Amino acid sequence: MGCSVGCRTRLNFGKALSKVSVCFTMVVIFTYFFYCLTGLCDSAPRQMFDHHTVNRDYDVSDRTYDNLRPPARLYPHHPGAPTPWNRTDTSTGAALHRADEQVATLQWVEGGLLPQEIPESTKENLAVNGIPMSNTFESKKFPQAIIIGVKKGGTRALLEFLRIHPDVRAVGAEPHFFDRFYEKGLEWYRNLMPRTLEGQITMEKTPSYFVTKEAPRRLCTMNCHTKLIVVVRDPVTRAVSDYTQTLSKQPGLPSFQSLALKNTSTGLVDTSWSAVRIGLYAKHLENWLQHFPLSHFLFVSGERLVSDPAGEMGRVQDFLGLKRVVSDKHFYFNQTKGFPCLKKPEGSSRPRCLGKSKGRPHPQISPEVLQRLRDFYRPFNLRFYRMTGQDFGWD
């Protein structure tokens, strides 16, 4: 009987040991497959985010202009996307692996990638191994070029034409920072700017800067090397256009003649009226030249922007140091509106023109009043021609 009990004990122990072995084997197999599947998922390619999907800093009209732009040259990466750093070779693998670990500190936020503090060693590793760190991320920068004037000169048309260029990013609305919101601070201003890649130009346009006394000093405080673009137009035609715009908003506005002239009988021009005062280009330019050299300015003819948009855009692109991308192929002349429009982009059913507020018919103004204004502006125009070295042909 003792032998029988001992045999049964050994038999039960053997069965328990077999069960434990089977369970251990199953755990090992399960663990093996789990790590295999994990490795397979990690090695699978992930979709890269498109540059225009990430950038949300433009107004709705940018969607149309993005269709006209040539493809962007660089695309940002989100943390899960394959990057050019994930390559290894016998000479640079270790350095790139260290760089990958440090670049993992990037933060993905609404609107794009914001690089946190990236160690200098990381940048050096990337630079040594031929990876342009500065070209990888979008960031908000102060504008390198600003359209500072003039109102009703053609500034909106110029900005929209420029936004076709793949290396230009611009704010849609007028920031009015240097004339109205300067107390909000430079950081507030910078946050209004769109995100740009290395090599792209940030721009904005606020026409009232040109006639604001404090604007040149304030802008120079930010950056005295900013490029300044001024779109000018025959001051008489500009004044009538200015009046027409105001009249559309205030139908009870007094007549153009009563606002332009202090006294109808004497014909004395009222320079206190803003529509007249803006056209004194020479006086406003004098204020700007106290802070910026003439070489920092480009004066664009509003008339030639209508008659030869590609030619004027060529001058603008040269001034900004851009390749001449915007050309004749982008424009056609709209006979109804009386100015050029952008040809329709691919996938769009119609061409793109400026809004209904552009190209309004002007009210009838007495020829005598218009002549009086031309006589008044003539010496200021000639002085402006001498200052800029350009004859705009307004006389």
Side-chain angles (χ1 to χ4, degrees):
M1 176 177 287
C3 181
S4 176
V5 171
C7 290
R8 284 198 298 272
T9 301
R10 285 193 297 273
L11 181 61
N12 291 337
F13 177 78
K15 288 182 178 179
L17 184 61
S18 297
K19 290 181 179 179
V20 170
S21 298
V22 171
C23 289
F24 178 78
T25 303
M26 292 179 67
V27 168
V28 170
I29 293 173
F30 175 80
T31 303
Y32 174 77
F33 278 104
F34 175 79
Y35 279 104
C36 287
L37 290 174
T38 303
L40 179 63
C41 292
D42 286 342
S43 63
R46 294 178 173 88
Q47 181 179 2
M48 295 175 67
F49 283 78
D50 182 80
H51 173 266
H52 298 300
T53 303
V54 174
N55 197 330
R56 296 183 177 90
D57 288 285
Y58 313 126
D59 63 8
V60 177
S61 64
D62 271 310
R63 299 173 186 172
T64 300
Y65 289 101
D66 282 344
N67 292 331
L68 289 164
R69 293 186 179 116
R73 300 170 300 173
L74 299 168
Y75 296 87
H77 297 81
H78 65 83
T83 73
W85 310 316
N86 291 332
R87 57 182 175 88
T88 57
D89 54 55
T90 56
S91 61
T92 63
L96 291 173
H97 178 70
R98 290 194 299 272
D100 280 345
E101 292 178 340
Q102 290 170 314
V103 172
T105 60
L106 292 174
Q107 177 185 10
W108 179 254
V109 298
E110 181 180 358
L113 282 172
L114 284 179
Q116 296 175 339
E117 292 185 3
I118 300 175
E120 287 300 320
S121 59
T122 303
K123 298 177 182 178
E124 291 175 3
N125 285 334
L126 295 174
V128 166
N129 294 287
I131 302 172
M133 183 69 185
S134 60
N135 285 350
T136 309
F137 306 106
E138 289 185 320
S139 60
K140 293 189 174 186
K141 304 181 183 70
F142 290 117
Q144 297 100 318
I146 302 178
I147 302 173
I148 61 171
V150 297
K151 180 184 179 184
K152 305 309 295 178
T155 57
R156 172 55 60 182
L158 176 61
L159 185 68
E160 298 305 336
F161 295 166
L162 273 172
R163 288 167 79 178
I164 300 172
H165 202 292
D167 289 335
V168 173
R169 291 292 180 268
V171 184
E174 296 175 1
H176 283 282
F177 175 66
F178 295 105
D179 60 344
R180 298 180 189 172
F181 303 116
Y182 192 66
E183 72 282 354
K184 291 183 178 291
L186 285 170
E187 190 61 23
W188 176 87
Y189 180 56
R190 188 171 68 87
N191 284 331
L192 296 178
M193 299 301 121
R195 299 187 186 281
T196 54
L197 294 167
E198 185 71 21
Q200 292 180 321
I201 292 178
T202 302
M203 292 190 66
E204 69 116 317
K205 78 107 177 170
T206 305
S208 53
Y209 289 164
F210 190 60
V211 298
T212 301
K213 184 178 180 180
E214 300 81 12
R217 175 182 53 80
R218 292 172 174 177
L219 205 159
C220 189
T221 299
M222 180 191 76
N223 184 2
C224 287
H225 297 286
T226 306
K227 293 185 177 182
L228 308 171
I229 300 176
V230 188
V231 188
V232 290
R233 182 184 183 187
D234 182 336
V236 177
T237 309
R238 197 220 65 81
V240 175
S241 180
D242 197 339
Y243 172 79
T244 304
Q245 182 182 55
T246 307
L247 185 63
S248 69
K249 300 174 183 178
Q250 305 175 27
L253 196 67
S255 69
F256 181 88
Q257 176 175 323
S258 63
L259 292 171
L261 303 180
K262 287 183 177 180
N263 188 305
T264 307
S265 58
T266 61
L268 186 64
V269 174
D270 189 353
T271 56
S272 66
W273 186 33
S274 63
V276 169
R277 190 172 63 254
I278 290 173
L280 302 174
Y281 304 144
K283 292 182 69 67
H284 302 306
L285 181 57
E286 279 182 344
N287 184 38
W288 281 86
L289 290 177
Q290 294 179 28
H291 301 273
F292 291 88
L294 189 62
S295 60
H296 285 199
F297 291 84
L298 177 70
F299 300 95
V300 175
S301 167
E303 287 83 8
R304 285 195 292 272
L305 196 59
V306 172
S307 62
D308 181 21
E312 282 300 281
M313 289 305 299
R315 292 181 61 239
V316 175
Q317 290 170 97
D318 291 346
F319 175 71
L320 296 176
L322 298 170
K323 181 181 178 181
R324 287 197 176 197
V325 172
V326 185
S327 61
D328 281 323
K329 68 181 181 181
H330 291 100
F331 302 102
Y332 82 97
F333 192 80
N334 186 303
Q335 297 291 344
T336 302
K337 283 185 169 289
F339 54 74
C341 295
L342 296 169
K343 291 180 179 177
K344 66 177 182 180
E346 293 182 11
S348 176
S349 60
R350 59 181 182 178
R352 169 68 176 164
C353 281
L354 297 178
K356 295 180 180 179
S357 64
K358 309 299 180 183
R360 296 187 189 95
H362 290 177
Q364 290 293 325
I365 309 293
S366 166
E368 290 78 13
V369 174
L370 296 178
Q371 187 58 50
R372 181 68 192 92
L373 282 174
R374 290 192 184 94
D375 294 339
F376 167 77
Y377 279 121
R378 185 171 293 109
F380 295 99
N381 292 344
L382 294 175
R383 186 177 172 192
F384 184 64
Y385 297 169
R386 289 193 297 271
M387 292 174 72
T388 61
Q390 294 178 239
D391 186 341
F392 293 91
W394 297 324
D395 295 291

